[in-house]
Amino acid sequence: MTSPPADQTLSPQTGRGLRADAERNRCRILAAARHLFATEGLGVSMASVAREAGVGKATLGRRFANRDELVNAVFADRMDAYVDAVTEALADPDPWRGFTGYLHAVCAMQAADRGFADVLAMTFPAAKALEARRAEAYNRMLELITRAKDTGHLREDFTHQDVVILLIANAGVVTATGEAAPDTWRRLVGHMIRSFATPDAPIPPLPEAPAPTALYRAMVRLSHAAQDSDVEP
């Protein structure tokens, strides 16, 4: 009987080696994607992720068939923290305080990671596990809103869509201000909480506005980014 070519013969040890290589590549891809998503947002290309990880696009494609699969793997732990935030808010004996604390906590997660800021403001239908956790957090958030309204401190015309609007707005602020004025999001959340509250609600102190020079740097940064995007590749 003719033996198969040497490159098609896999000993158990070689098989384990290939699996170990595959796992190393997967870890490198996840680390690269986590870094790029956190610093640049979800707009980075899959080719950029492969380049950052030091692997070929074919290797990336074998590990993650599409962007949704990669997003699902990168942000699984952060989505768990998102669910934990609303669970902790529901455990607060003061539902209004739990509600305002929840808004601060989630917006802080966005500020800490530009990629996660985008994740909370978008949907990824193919990322089944991530979307399941989002749905879990959403259902708990509805309960939190109802409890906050029962205190008389949250406006009756507030809806769950207003949370989504806040997250979209905060994602934009986080992206726009970047490192130039990194605490600007706190001011946004403070103003939004005031708009959500009834006249007699206890309102947290309004965070200080960013310094004019910091906002100017953020505006210059945005201008440069817009100019760069207009440059033909």
Side-chain angles (χ1 to χ4, degrees), residues 4-24:
D7 60 357
Q8 294 180 18
T9 304
L10 293 179
S11 67
Q13 183 175 0
T14 304
R16 287 195 295 272
L18 289 176
R19 288 193 293 272
D21 285 344
E23 182 58 27
R24 278 194 295 271

Side-chain angles (χ1 to χ4, degrees), residues 221-233:
R221 174 178 169 274
L222 277 179
S223 297
H224 290 165
Q227 291 171 5
D228 292 341
S229 67
D230 289 336
V231 176
E232 292 292 335

